[in-house]
């Protein structure tokens, strides 16, 4: 089977519904899936934020303090910690006036991976390369 | 009628607001509606903010999304849950959610 690429595309803002959060937890679950695979088989997820999906990615979210729920920021940091590719659409960040400097990283957790702000064309490429494309 | 309207999405709902007639109209930004108070899409603030001078945003929902009150448009009054209850009971006869 080799490597199976999956693209998780988040197109809705976080928090009001569970949909966009599920993309992150599903993408994170690839680590669990690998336990069930044969030698030589891998799953490579890519988590992409486009459109209004780029909302809710800011640093300093206080979802746990306010509502007792895990923040999107925390989920993204966990994604980076397990070396998941996280792409954020450059054009959509610019459209909403969100500076790249407000995006979180997981350096404090020891992660080397960082969010990559990329043109939509690169997200399109990730979708084309993926065997499974899932929209959230 | 004094009407307070809750807006909980970022999508524009200006068409609906334009049709509503109220002696005093209030817009209360909650959940993802708080993005209207902080974002400048294509460099422009949300049209919603020009619909009434009575604008409120819930501080808990701003903080959840990583925003502080100083990032909020100066026309919007930031209120916490307690303040929101006061707004609902003291300023508006009716409230609606769009």
């Amino acid at each position: 089977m080799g490597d199976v690429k999956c693209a998780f595309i988040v197109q809705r803002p976080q928090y009001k519904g569970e949909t966009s959060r599920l993309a992150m937890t599903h993408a994170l679950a690839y680590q669990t899936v690998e336990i069930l695979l044969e030698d030589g088989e891998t799953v490579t997820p890519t988590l992409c934020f486009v459109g209004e999906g780029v909302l809710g990615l800011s640093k300093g979210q206080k979802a746990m303090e306010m509502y007792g729920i895990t923040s999107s920021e925390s989920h993204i940091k966990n994604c980076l910690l397990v070396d998941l590719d996280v792409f954020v659409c450059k054009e959509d960040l610019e459209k909403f006036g969100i500076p790249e400097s407000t995006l979180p990283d997981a350096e404090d957790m020891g992660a080397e991976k960082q969010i990559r702000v990329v043109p939509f064309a690169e997200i399109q490429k990730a979708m084309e390369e993926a065997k499974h494309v899932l929209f959230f | 009628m004094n009407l307070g309207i809750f807006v909980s999405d970022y999508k524009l709902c200006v068409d609906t607001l334009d049709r509503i007639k109220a002696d005093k109209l209030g817009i209360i930004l909650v959940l993802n509606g708080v993005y209207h108070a902080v974002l400048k899409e294509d460099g422009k603030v949300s049209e919603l903010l020009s619909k009434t001078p009575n604008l409120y945003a819930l501080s808990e929902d701003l903080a959840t999304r990583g925003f502080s009150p100083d990032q909020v448009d100066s026309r919007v009054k930031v209120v916490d849950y307690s303040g929101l209850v006061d707004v609902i009971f003291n300023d508006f006869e009716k409230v609606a959610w769009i």
Side-chain angles (χ1 to χ4, degrees):
Chain A
M1 189 169 79
D3 184 40
V4 175
K5 289 185 167 57
C6 301
F8 295 85
I9 315 295
V10 182
Q11 55 178 346
R12 296 193 177 89
Q14 324 292 317
Y15 290 119
K16 190 183 174 188
E18 280 295 300
T19 313
S20 48
R21 176 187 301 267
L22 285 175
M24 292 183 265
T25 52
H26 278 53
L28 269 170
Y30 92 100
Q31 294 254 308
T32 313
V33 170
E34 287 195 343
I35 298 168
L36 306 171
L37 301 178
E38 303 292 334
D39 284 349
E41 294 180 341
T42 52
V43 173
T44 307
T46 305
L47 182 60
C48 307
F49 293 87
V50 300
E52 291 182 8
V54 306
L55 305 177
L57 299 182
S58 300
K59 287 181 208 169
Q61 296 177 25
K62 295 184 172 57
M64 185 57 75
E65 292 91 325
M66 295 298 151
Y67 293 116
I69 56 171
T70 309
S71 68
S72 305
E73 179 183 7
S74 178
H75 280 306
I76 288 168
K77 289 174 85 159
N78 284 325
C79 289
L80 296 170
L81 191 61
V82 296
D83 290 331
L84 210 108
D85 282 325
V86 180
F87 293 168
V88 177
C89 180
K90 184 179 176 61
E91 293 91 331
D92 292 327
L93 277 182
E94 287 172 357
K95 177 183 171 190
F96 291 116
I98 300 170
E100 289 183 28
S101 59
T102 64
L103 299 178
D105 60 54
E107 280 180 15
D108 58 325
M109 297 162 74
E112 292 177 4
K113 205 87 169 185
Q114 294 198 320
I115 286 177
R116 286 183 54 203
V117 176
V118 297
F120 184 79
E122 195 156 339
I123 291 171
Q124 172 77 29
K125 188 165 170 275
M127 286 194 276
E128 286 168 6
E129 289 174 353
K131 181 175 183 186
H132 303 290
V133 180
L134 303 95
F135 281 87
F136 292 84
Chain B
M1 140 175 100
N2 293 346
L3 175 66
I5 292 182
F6 283 88
V7 174
S8 60
D9 277 314
Y10 182 60
K11 293 188 195 319
L12 278 179
C13 36
V14 173
D15 287 354
T16 309
L17 285 169
D18 280 342
R19 294 187 190 112
I20 293 172
K21 303 292 179 208
D23 298 322
K24 178 183 177 182
L25 177 68
I27 296 177
I28 303 157
L29 304 170
V30 296
L31 296 167
N32 286 333
V34 298
Y35 287 118
H36 288 287
V38 292
L39 291 183
K40 288 183 179 172
E41 188 172 343
D42 293 325
K44 297 173 192 163
V45 297
S46 170
E47 283 181 47
L48 216 65
L49 303 187
S50 62
K51 294 298 167 193
T52 174
N54 307 305
L55 298 160
Y56 307 89
L58 187 59
S59 60
E60 284 86 345
D61 288 339
L62 286 162
T64 293
R65 288 157 183 78
F67 296 109
S68 56
D70 62 341
Q71 292 172 276
V72 173
D73 188 283
S74 60
R75 287 170 287 182
V76 180
K77 185 177 180 189
V78 177
V79 293
D80 60 10
Y81 266 110
S82 171
L84 182 58
V85 171
D86 288 341
V87 167
I88 291 169
F89 280 93
N90 298 334
D91 294 2
F92 301 104
E93 297 160 351
K94 295 180 183 177
V95 290
W97 198 294
I98 61 171

